[in-house]
Structures are given as C-alpha cells and as structure tokens.
Amino acid sequence: MMELTRKGEYAIRGMIYLARQAPGKMALISEIAEATEVPPTFLAKIFQNFAKLGLVNSYRGTGGGFMLGRPASRITLREVVEAVEGPIIPNRCLMGSGACDFDKQCNVHPVWRRVQGQVVQILESVTIEELARDTK
C-alpha cells in the first residue's frame, strides 16, 4: 500500500508553514513545531535534511532560524515528499533490474510504471506556494 508516512506529513506541514511567512522572516523550529503540531526534535531532523538539499536555509545564532531555500512557487510537492520518503515506487519491481524475478515477463509491470508516472506527475504539478494559499 502506498502511504505517506508521518515524517512525510510533518515535512509538508513544515514547508507550508514556512511558505506562509513574510519574505525574509526566519522561523524557529519551536515556532514551526508548535504551529504545525509536530514534535520539535523530529521536525529539526527533517529540516536539517532539507537544508542539505537546499529546500530550506538554516541560520544559527540570534535572529536565526529557517526559511525557504527558494521561492515556494519553485518547490514542488514531489521534491518535499521524495526528500523524506525517497523515490516514489508503488511496487518493488520498479526499483531496478533484478529487484523482481518476474520483471521481464510480468504483465503488471507496465501498469505499475504508469501508476508511478501518474503519481509523480501529480506531485510535480503542485507547488508549496499553492498549498500555502489561505483557503478561508
């Protein structure tokens, strides 16, 4: 079953929170965690990884915190999900040659490839900016 883990959900919540901040405003992990109802230590680990990937910028010291690494309009939901969950693979047979004993003769393999393509396409078409828009 394809399912977004708690880590993935927390990552998305954190990125949406950052996208809703005024340009140039730093946000502390404690602030983001409280607003998004995510454990701060868990969120800190997620954001450390995001900083390595350039999805967020991290600043230490007084006045430090986190902010998006680039405009929210240029960060896709796919990037956020894959940064914490890894590649979107609905079945192990898509992991590469030899991952499945039946990959050369399986009639379902092309179906899984289409499922993967559709999910990737959908996640790639949604930006964090879109998700951060106030829906009230």
Side-chain angles (χ1 to χ4, degrees):
M1 180 167 144
M2 289 189 296
E3 182 178 342
L4 187 67
T5 65
R6 203 175 299 166
K7 186 176 182 181
E9 177 64 32
Y10 292 168
I12 294 166
R13 285 190 217 167
M15 291 297 280
I16 290 171
Y17 180 84
L18 287 182
R20 289 180 173 159
Q21 303 311 298
K25 181 188 180 289
M26 297 287 177
L28 298 173
I29 280 292
S30 57
E31 170 191 337
I32 303 165
E34 184 177 335
T36 59
E37 299 180 19
V38 174
T41 54
F42 201 6
L43 189 62
K45 288 178 184 177
I46 292 168
F47 273 33
Q48 286 170 359
N49 185 49
F50 282 174
K52 290 176 189 172
L53 298 172
L55 292 173
V56 300
N57 291 328
S58 171
Y59 300 92
R60 292 180 181 236
T62 304
F66 289 92
M67 63 188 329
L68 293 180
R70 58 182 186 268
S73 63
R74 292 188 30 231
I75 300 173
T76 67
L77 185 54
R78 176 187 179 187
E79 288 179 282
V80 175
V81 170
E82 286 189 340
V84 293
E85 303 287 359
I88 295 164
I89 302 173
N91 192 308
R92 68 185 176 97
C93 65
L94 300 180
M95 293 174 67
S97 183
C100 175
D101 295 335
F102 302 102
D103 62 349
K104 301 250 189 283
Q105 60 194 19
C106 178
N107 292 337
V108 183
H109 184 88
V111 176
W112 289 126
R113 181 70 65 203
R114 284 187 13 229
V115 167
Q116 178 186 39
Q118 290 292 312
V119 171
V120 166
Q121 183 179 5
I122 291 166
L123 296 178
E124 189 69 28
S125 73
V126 177
T127 66
I128 295 301
E129 178 183 58
E130 293 171 56
L131 295 173
R133 288 189 189 126
D134 196 2
T135 58
K136 292 179 186 178

